[in-house]
Amino acid sequence: QVQLVESGGGLVQPGGSLRLACAASLSIFSIYEINWYRQAPGKQRELVATITSGGGRDYADSVKGRFTISRDNAKKTMYLQMNSLKPEDTAVYYCNLNRGSKTYWGQGIQVTVSS
């Protein structure tokens, strides 16, 4: 019954911005660690950004200073604000929630950065 539904992807020019959203059908959202991953064709899935239930944040070096992970517990939604986008940011992006042995994944959403 748990679903994570992603939105906000698409095509953007280099230097542009997008905001990804992930809405969760969980009764209690705030207790989960949240993460954004991405995977480009032929590459391993990589962790882009993470935030703990206590508010700690971390980012991959490749996106630090450009991307911001956030959450709205009242809306049970997590976000990834992506600014100053580069062609190398092109990938399928996945939201992820973790708590102990419980792991949930979004369906993946395409982000393409191209002129």
Side-chain angles (χ1 to χ4, degrees):
Q1 290 187 327
V2 174
Q3 285 191 322
L4 305 181
V5 180
E6 298 182 50
S7 61
L11 175 65
V12 66
Q13 293 184 336
S17 298
L18 287 173
R19 189 179 74 162
L20 304 182
C22 176
S25 62
L26 292 166
S27 59
I28 304 175
F29 177 74
S30 62
I31 63 175
Y32 286 85
E33 176 192 82
I34 62 171
N35 307 279
W36 286 96
Y37 288 80
R38 68 185 182 188
Q39 187 169 27
K43 297 178 65 177
Q44 295 285 101
R45 184 173 297 187
E46 64 174 341
L47 179 63
V48 175
T50 186
I51 183 170
T52 69
S53 59
R57 291 170 166 83
D58 199 14
Y59 300 90
D61 288 342
S62 59
V63 307
K64 190 173 184 179
R66 301 187 297 119
F67 289 14
T68 303
I69 186 172
S70 63
R71 67 194 302 164
D72 186 331
N73 290 332
K75 292 183 171 64
K76 299 180 180 180
T77 302
M78 56 189 288
Y79 304 93
L80 185 67
Q81 178 68 46
M82 304 182 293
N83 299 325
S84 302
L85 283 162
K86 304 175 180 180
E88 50 263 46
D89 296 318
T90 296
V92 176
Y93 285 71
Y94 299 87
C95 59
N96 166 263
L97 274 64
N98 284 297
R99 181 173 174 78
S101 62
K102 294 181 172 61
T103 301
Y104 306 107
W105 290 92
Q107 81 278 10
I109 191 163
Q110 180 71 45
V111 171
T112 301
V113 184
S114 177
S115 59

